Amino acid sequence: MPWRRRWVCPHCFRSISRAQITYVCASGADCAEDRALKSADPLSGSAVCGTCGRTTTRLCCSVCAGRLPEGYLRVPGKLVALAGPVSSGKSTYIGVLVHELLHRLGAELDAALLPCDDDTMADYHERYERHLYEGRHTVPKTAEHDAGRPLVHRLSRTRRGRFGRTRRQVLTLVFLDTAGEHFASRDRMESQLRYFAAADAVVVLVDPQDLAGAPVRGGGDAVPGRSGDVLARVLGHLGGGKVTVPVAVALTKADLLWPHLPDNSPLHRTRRPGPVFDADDRAAVHAELQALLRRWQEHQLDARLQQFCADYQLFALSTLGTAPRQDGDLGLGGVVRPHRVEDPLMWLLHRFGALDRGRR
Ligand SMILES: Nc1nc2c(ncn2[C@@H]2O[C@H](COP(=O)(O)OP(=O)(O)OP(=O)(O)O)[C@@H](O)[C@H]2O)c(=O)[nH]1
Ligand SMILES: [Mg+2]
Ligand SMILES: [Zn+2]
Ligand SMILES: [Zn+2]
């Protein structure tokens, strides 16, 4: 496989060349060397630390000092970015999705989720897991000044094709979990520009309470019409003309919608387990959501998507499975019971050719 000339750093989203990628010593506290090991070629596979003499395979971006995931130079994978307005459920989605991939879905899809480094694991626990799964409580609102590090994971899967051929596909999931306020103004949005410019796919979260005609309006922070504005801004940053990368638009908090939907609505169904993309189910859910948006007088949203995106799909998911109590304690006895949180990723894995062939 020919080496590429440039890579996108998954931490600062700058385009970096071979000269901007350096080895660092991985001995930690055992070694005083904290600078980049200059002379070694990043493509050589390893370098020896001149101070402690140990071999290291750890590569960093010399612009931001962020660590590149194992195997990143050879397989950068598809970078998936996340967006959504205030209180749309971004932090909860990250917290629950990563947990599901680590504990349940990974095995079901025969896929491995690898955190980029120890920082990612520590950040994940501190910001999400600790609250949701130990405190049985909602995650705190992301502070506006919080310039948190992006959470970088690699989801890799080996697809079994015909004649026993296998092919590895990697999604590099980069969650830059900023406060939703950052999407509220054009200025703030500039800082996120590189993030979206670097994305190979985008997941946009929408709180149904922000949709003007939805039967669930009235949540504390809800601003009818806001989702459409955010969407327009995000799409505007994805490219001058038509956005060509796949865009997954997901209504969060679908549990609020369920009581208002007929029993036979596809939004009640659960996904058939297994590493297979169910095209019929996908089409049914997408069509149902288009119909609902029309009924809620939100055809603007869908019209914008049709106008600006070459390739988009609508999803409805519930990260918690039910509304939390007023004090933030989780309902359902404190247990997180997600519904279809994996759907946008399943679609993207399918789009990037990483799932097995259907049974049909
Ligand atoms: N009913 C219901 N409510 C949810 C669900 N997930 C999240 N919420 C509610 O939505 C609130 C906001 O979720 P967050 O994940 O903090 O939203 P965010 O997009 O990170 O918000 P900012 O950090 O302010 O940008 C939570 O505190 C919950 O009260 C869900 O699956 N169902
Ligand atoms: Mg948040
Ligand atoms: Zn960087
Ligand atoms: Zn060293």
Side-chain angles (χ1 to χ4, degrees), residues 112-152:
L113 185 78
L114 291 177
C116 166
D117 52 25
D118 297 346
D119 285 345
T120 287
M121 286 216 272
D123 284 356
Y124 172 68
H125 182 260
E126 173 61 27
R127 289 160 71 170
Y128 311 102
E129 196 174 37
R130 188 165 67 85
H131 304 287
L132 289 166
Y133 296 94
E134 290 168 19
R136 299 175 164 224
H137 200 273
T138 51
V139 294
K141 182 178 164 47
T142 310
E144 220 175 312
H145 55 80
D146 182 1
R149 285 181 290 236
L151 210 64
V152 182

Side-chain angles (χ1 to χ4, degrees), residues 87 89-92 128 139-143 177-180:
S87 198
K90 298 179 296 298
S91 299
T92 315
Y128 311 102
V139 294
K141 182 178 164 47
T142 310
D177 191 16
T178 50

